[in-house]
Amino acid sequence: MFGKIAQWWGGWALTQVAVIAAVIALFWLLGHNTAETMARIGITPGFDFLGRPANFEIGEAPIAFKAGDPYALAILAGLLNTLKAAALGCVLATILGVALGVASLSGNLLLAGLVRWYVEIVRNTPLLLQLFFWISLAKSFPSPRQALSAFDSFFLTNRGVFVPGLGFHNVSAPTLWLLGGLAIAYLAFLVWARRHGGLPARRLGLATVVLLGGAVLAFPLTGAGATWEIPVLAGFNIRGGYNLTPEFAALLTGLVVKFSAAIAEIVRAGIQSVDRGQWEASRALGLHNGQIMRLVVLPQALRVITPLTTSSYLDLTKDSSLAVAIGYPDLVSIINTTANTTGQSLEALTLLIAIYLAINLSVSAAMNLYNRRVALRGTARI
């Protein structure tokens, strides 16, 4: 038994014990000094401040929040703002990055050259500088009465971007429960179908139609409603539709532009990693370029693209914290305000670190799961 422990411990056992003891002593000393300092200035360590009223407003909150609500609710609003920016940024950057990556390999020299210039300019300038540029541009748009309009439905103003969208009314808890149940049933069916005979396009389409039909029926059954709203000029402002504030629009644009350039390079490298012989063999079988890309090249390129894209998603999520520089109330901004108004800086920063760790570890776990599935499919083809 002692021999196994000694083998597991390795050489220089006393030195290792001394280093571990020194590290523990260092952390104890830091913690003790921090606790003494907090006691001297009248701050009680702990997270009780989360239940106290927050005496500040949040300019843009996805949930109802007003001054006097608990700090925990304010932090939740900041977290939802961060998740909104990160999720939309990942989706839009992926779509734009894939399109740019494929375009960079086209035979059109002008198109490929423009994409190359785009990638080099964007990836060689700091994101913070780009955010300042986008927020300056957003603030320079005209007022709503002189707004730049497209099809009388899309408006660019100094108060944000207005686009058509669905407006929901009288949405209640039964509505959300019913929609959640439909979503769970849809996902359960997809998993079951994949394990029992595959998931052809016809079956997937039928299941999607049933899901959409159920979602449409869920609103009148629970007394809720939804209308298609088109923004219109009303008085000195624009009403209806969705409004992206200048700060959110600038942040989203900056993240999408910055990381689409990185994803474009990843997609280009992934496609070029597939041997040219695959193209020639596919053409010999009578496949056209679109079929070759979709059925032969991309499935193999995904084994290269997915791990690198995961890193881009993690960087995008972390870099969304730069929103504080342009006034968007994200998680970092709310935590900073919380720390300044309560004096609980250590606890607030601990919360911030824990939340970002949880978000990024979740993204990493989901992408690693997808990567394993792609790698297995690629191995099976070989």
Side-chain angles (χ1 to χ4, degrees):
M1 183 68 182
F2 180 77
K4 288 183 179 179
I5 294 175
Q7 186 179 4
W8 172 79
W9 193 268
W12 302 87
L14 290 178
T15 304
Q16 293 185 55
V17 170
V19 170
I20 292 173
V23 171
I24 293 174
L26 178 62
F27 275 99
W28 179 85
L29 183 63
L30 291 174
H32 181 69
N33 286 342
T34 303
E36 278 194 343
T37 303
M38 294 177 75
R40 188 171 62 251
I41 60 179
I43 297 176
T44 304
F47 293 92
D48 294 341
F49 70 93
L50 292 175
R52 296 181 208 153
N55 297 318
F56 57 84
E57 296 282 356
I58 298 177
E60 182 178 353
I63 57 175
F65 178 83
K66 62 182 184 303
D69 286 337
Y71 278 104
L73 195 61
I75 293 174
L76 176 62
L79 171 62
L80 293 177
N81 277 339
T82 291
L83 292 176
K84 181 174 70 172
L88 281 175
C90 288
V91 172
L92 296 178
T94 302
I95 294 172
L96 182 57
V98 170
L100 290 172
V102 174
S104 68
L105 297 173
S106 72
N108 188 316
L109 295 180
L110 176 60
L111 179 60
L114 289 175
V115 172
R116 172 53 53 189
W117 275 100
Y118 171 88
V119 170
E120 294 300 334
I121 291 173
V122 169
R123 73 176 181 178
N124 288 303
T125 51
L127 177 57
L128 185 59
L129 181 61
Q130 294 182 30
L131 290 180
F132 286 146
F133 170 78
W134 292 117
I135 191 63
S136 300
L137 183 64
K139 296 286 186 182
S140 67
F141 286 135
S143 64
R145 295 181 70 84
Q146 289 82 36
L148 303 175
S149 172
F151 310 109
D152 289 332
S153 301
F154 300 86
F155 296 90
L156 292 177
T157 77
N158 57 6
R159 296 185 184 176
V161 181
F162 294 83
V163 297
L166 279 174
F168 299 99
H169 316 285
N170 303 323
V171 175
S172 59
T175 310
L176 298 177
W177 280 109
L178 193 51
L179 291 175
L182 285 171
I184 292 173
Y186 179 74
L187 293 175
F189 172 76
L190 295 184
V191 173
W192 177 85
R194 287 184 65 87
R195 294 180 178 177
H196 298 81
L199 189 61
R202 184 177 178 182
R203 183 180 290 181
L204 177 63
L206 182 60
T208 305
V209 169
V210 172
L211 172 70
L212 295 177
V216 170
L217 289 176
F219 280 85
L221 288 177
T222 57
T227 55
W228 182 253
E229 297 181 351
I230 297 177
V232 293
L233 179 64
F236 293 97
N237 206 350
I238 295 175
R239 309 289 182 190
Y242 287 146
N243 175 24
L244 307 182
T245 62
E247 292 78 15
F248 178 70
L251 174 65
L252 185 62
T253 305
L255 292 175
V256 170
V257 169
K258 176 73 175 179
F259 287 94
S260 66
I263 293 175
E265 280 296 273
I266 293 170
V267 171
R268 181 189 61 79
I271 292 174
Q272 287 185 327
S273 70
V274 180
D275 191 86
R276 290 294 303 173
Q278 299 282 328
W279 288 84
E280 295 165 2
S282 301
R283 288 195 182 98
L285 292 173
L287 300 179
H288 58 70
N289 286 342
Q291 290 175 317
I292 298 172
M293 181 65 74
R294 182 168 56 87
L295 301 174
V296 179
V297 175
L298 276 182
Q300 299 180 69
L302 279 175
R303 286 178 291 176
V304 176
I305 293 172
T306 303
L308 298 174
T309 306
T310 302
S311 298
S312 291
Y313 288 166
L314 298 179
D315 289 340
L316 187 151
T317 304
K318 289 181 289 186
D319 286 353
S320 68
S321 61
L322 292 175
V324 69
I326 58 173
Y328 179 67
D330 75 326
L331 180 63
V332 174
S333 174
I334 301 297
I335 290 279
N336 278 341
T337 306
T338 300
N340 290 333
T341 54
T342 63
Q344 310 276 170
S345 302
L346 183 64
E347 293 87 345
L349 289 176
T350 303
L351 272 179
L352 186 60
I353 293 170
I355 291 172
Y356 268 106
L357 268 178
I359 294 173
N360 279 335
L361 288 177
S362 301
V363 173
S364 182
M367 291 301 292
N368 286 338
L369 182 64
Y370 176 71
N371 186 44
R372 280 199 295 272
R373 295 178 64 83
V374 173
L376 284 174
R377 286 212 301 264
T379 303
R381 278 182 181 151
I382 289 174

